[in-house]
Amino acid sequence: MPQRTLIRSARTRTRTKRTWMPESLRDTMVRGIHIAIGACIIALALAIALAMFTYDPRDISWNTAASTTYSTITHNWVGSFGSHSADVIWQFFGFSGVLIAVILASWGWRVASGRGLDLLLWRILASFVALLTFSVTFAIFNFKFSAGGPALGGAFGKIAATSLTSLLPAAWGGYLIVAIMLVIALIALYMACALTLDEWQVVAGAIHDAIMWAAYKVY
C-alpha cells in the first residue's frame, strides 16, 4: 500500500486552492464586474451630459431659491440632482463642463473593455487643465446661447481670460490666447480620455453622424 505524503509542496497547495473555481468562470465573473462598473460610469456621464444640456438657471439650485412659481418646478431632465450639479458646473466651468461627461464616458469605456485606467491622478489633472483652457476660450469670445442665459466661460474662465487679455494688446491678444488655449485643451483632453487614435476616429464619426442627423431633422 503506497504511503500518503504528509507534507505537500507549495506548488501542490497552490494547485489545490485554484480548483475551487474554474479559471474560465473566474475570468467571466471578472469581465462581468468590469462591464458593470464601466456601465455605471457611462450612465453617470450620460446623466451629467443630460443635466448640462437641460440646465435652466431658474431651476431650484444652490444659487436659486424657490421664490417664484417657475422655480418651484424643476425643468432639468435629471431632476433635483441635475439642477444642482449642473448649476455648480456651469457656474465654475461654463459650457466646457460638458467635457466632464465626455471624459467619464471614455473612462467607463476603458473599464468596461478590461483595459483599466492607468496614471489616474495625471489623467484627473489633465481633465482640469482641459476644463480650464476650454473655459478661457469660451470666456474670451463672451458668447451666450440666449440673452438671459449663463456665460459659457464660467467664473474660472472669466477670471483667467480677463487676466490674460490684460497682458496683451487688445487688437490681436485675444486671438493668440485662444489659439494657445485650444492647443493645450486638445492635448489635455486627449491625455485625460486615454483613448486610442482609432477610438477617437470612431467618436468623431459618431459625432458627425449625430450632427448630420440633427441637421436633417431640423432642416
Side-chain angles (χ1 to χ4, degrees), residues 54-159:
T54 59
Y55 170 68
D56 191 327
R58 295 170 292 182
D59 281 341
I60 300 174
S61 62
W62 304 110
N63 295 316
T64 304
S67 58
T68 63
T69 303
Y70 184 92
S71 60
T72 57
I73 303 174
T74 301
H75 299 81
N76 195 291
W77 288 12
V78 192
S80 178
F81 168 78
S83 63
H84 284 76
S85 58
D87 180 72
V88 173
I89 296 174
W90 267 102
Q91 293 296 327
F92 286 101
F93 299 108
F95 187 69
S96 64
V98 176
L99 294 178
I100 297 176
V102 175
I103 295 170
L104 285 178
S106 66
W107 290 359
W109 167 256
R110 282 187 60 94
V111 173
S113 61
R115 289 183 293 168
L117 283 173
D118 56 344
L119 305 174
L120 181 58
L121 293 179
W122 287 105
R123 299 197 186 282
I124 294 175
L125 178 61
S127 301
F128 278 107
V129 172
L131 289 172
L132 292 176
T133 48
F134 271 114
S135 296
V136 173
T137 301
F138 288 131
I140 290 177
F141 284 119
N142 196 24
F143 176 77
K144 293 183 179 182
F145 288 132
S146 60
L152 297 187
F156 288 158
K158 184 177 181 179
I159 294 173

Side-chain angles (χ1 to χ4, degrees), residues 2 24 28 31 46 51 58 66-67 71 79 86 99 101 103 150 152 165 169 177 179 185-186 192:
S24 59
T28 302
R31 173 66 174 164
L46 293 176
R58 295 170 292 182
S67 58
S71 60
L99 294 178
I103 295 170
L152 297 187
T165 52
I177 294 173
L186 292 175

Side-chain angles (χ1 to χ4, degrees), residues 187-216:
I187 295 175
L189 182 62
Y190 177 80
M191 296 176 62
C193 290
L195 297 178
T196 63
L197 291 177
D198 292 336
E199 289 170 334
W200 275 113
Q201 291 179 357
V202 174
V203 172
I207 294 175
H208 175 269
D209 293 340
I211 294 175
M212 295 300 294
W213 177 85
Y216 175 78

